[in-house]
């Protein structure tokens, strides 16, 4: 089995937003908002469960 590793990321399919606010607005359908206090150690598991 051959494995190829590329050091270049694929080109973006759409232009990136120049600000975090713009990025969050553009991707509001896939952004998970945590509205309650959560320990940082639990963020990974919570984000995996949100899919």
């Amino acid at each position: 089995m051959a494995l190829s590793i590329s050091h270049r990321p694929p080109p973006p399919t759409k232009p990136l937003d120049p600000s975090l606010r713009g990025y969050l607005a553009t991707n509001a359908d896939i952004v998970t908002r945590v509205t309650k206090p959560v320990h940082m150690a639990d963020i990974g598991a919570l984000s995996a469960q949100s899919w």
Side-chain angles (χ1 to χ4, degrees):
M1 179 170 152
L3 184 61
S4 172
I5 298 176
S6 173
H7 295 286
R8 292 185 189 168
T13 56
K14 59 184 175 180
L16 296 176
D17 289 294
S19 68
L20 177 58
R21 186 180 304 263
Y23 174 83
L24 293 174
T26 301
N27 297 290
D29 58 331
I30 60 169
V31 173
T32 301
R33 296 183 185 270
V34 179
T35 58
K36 296 181 180 181
V38 177
H39 193 277
M40 286 297 290
D42 297 328
I43 294 291
L46 288 170
S47 61
Q49 291 175 14
S50 71
W51 284 89

